[in-house]
Amino acid sequence: MSEVIKPANKQKLDGLVDTMSSEDARFILMRGDYTAEQIIKAAIDQGDIEPEDEEDWSKARYYQSWFKTSPLGGPDGYSRWNYPRDTPCRGAYFASVLCWD
């Protein structure tokens, strides 16, 4: 990906933390422009990760991206997927991410 374009203003759901996983990795995603330390603290405060996992998550890969959520079908798969983008588009959100793969 090329250099990401950050939003000029706060978005409605900035600060919201979500954990996700795929077959290859685990993610902690925090909507908005945040540091890795802020993501870990918010995830602990919300109970998404345990305090003793802080050191492990501090070694995770950190990046920022725009994401577009798309629905996926079928009861056996994921119900939705968040596709990374370099630029904003209608319905996209900006997030800071920790990826443990």
Side-chain angles (χ1 to χ4, degrees):
M1 287 187 168
S2 64
E3 189 171 328
V4 120
I5 299 169
K6 293 184 181 182
N9 302 317
K10 282 188 69 91
Q11 297 177 312
K12 181 179 176 183
L13 298 175
D14 274 9
L16 181 69
V17 175
D18 195 9
T19 55
M20 293 184 257
S21 62
S22 69
E23 293 176 359
D24 303 323
R26 293 177 24 208
F27 304 88
I28 301 175
L29 180 142
M30 188 168 181
R31 291 184 183 220
D33 184 11
Y34 295 96
T35 65
E37 294 78 20
Q38 290 171 311
I39 297 169
I40 293 168
K41 182 181 179 331
I44 291 170
D45 291 347
Q46 268 187 212
D48 289 329
I49 64 171
E50 299 297 323
E52 56 267 14
D53 296 331
E54 180 176 356
E55 185 177 339
D56 289 338
W57 276 105
S58 67
K59 298 173 187 168
R61 181 170 52 99
Y62 168 81
Y63 65 95
Q64 293 181 315
S65 182
W66 286 92
F67 290 91
K68 176 71 175 171
T69 303
S70 298
L72 298 173
D76 298 328
Y78 300 107
S79 60
R80 62 186 168 88
W81 190 249
N82 298 280
Y83 294 94
R85 300 179 46 89
D86 290 334
T87 57
C89 68
R90 184 180 172 107
Y93 62 92
F94 185 80
S96 304
V97 181
L98 289 174
C99 175
W100 189 259
D101 42 12

